[in-house]
């Protein structure tokens, strides 16, 4: 990889990570469901840990957020 393409890859990765964190935080805090659920794969696993537990897939994420956390 050339220096220019490595730099571009680094910048694009950084922007993607910033978008991910922003969508997680703002989606959850502002209760913007579409924004929040949009960051998760269908087969995701959200390991929140005690006292809440772990939640699998969009169904688990939905239950965690709408029934427990919000």
């Amino acid at each position: 990889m050339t220096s220019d393409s490595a730099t571009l890859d680094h910048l694009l990765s950084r922007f993607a990570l910033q978008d991910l964190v922003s969508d997680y935080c703002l989606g959850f805090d502002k209760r913007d469901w579409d924004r929040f659920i949009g960051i998760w794969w269908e087969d995701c696993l959200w390991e929140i840990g005690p006292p809440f537990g772990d939640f699998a897939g969009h169904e688990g994420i939905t239950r965690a957020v709408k029934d427990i956390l919000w």
Side-chain angles (χ1 to χ4, degrees):
M1 194 180 288
T2 68
S3 177
D4 288 342
S5 60
T7 300
L8 179 59
D9 181 62
H10 174 80
L11 290 172
L12 291 174
S13 297
R14 184 178 176 132
F15 290 140
L17 287 169
Q18 287 175 334
D19 286 347
L20 175 67
V21 171
S22 176
D23 288 343
Y24 178 95
C25 294
L26 291 175
F28 188 85
D29 291 347
K30 302 278 185 188
R31 296 184 181 212
D32 181 342
W33 180 247
D34 291 333
R35 186 175 194 171
F36 185 76
I37 197 66
I39 69 168
W40 301 95
W41 291 101
E42 288 287 336
D43 63 348
C44 64
L45 177 62
W46 191 16
E47 299 177 311
I48 300 175
F52 303 108
D54 301 336
F55 303 92
H58 279 190
E59 184 178 316
I61 300 294
T62 301
R63 187 170 58 82
V65 172
K66 293 185 175 182
D67 296 343
I68 299 170
L69 301 172
W70 282 352

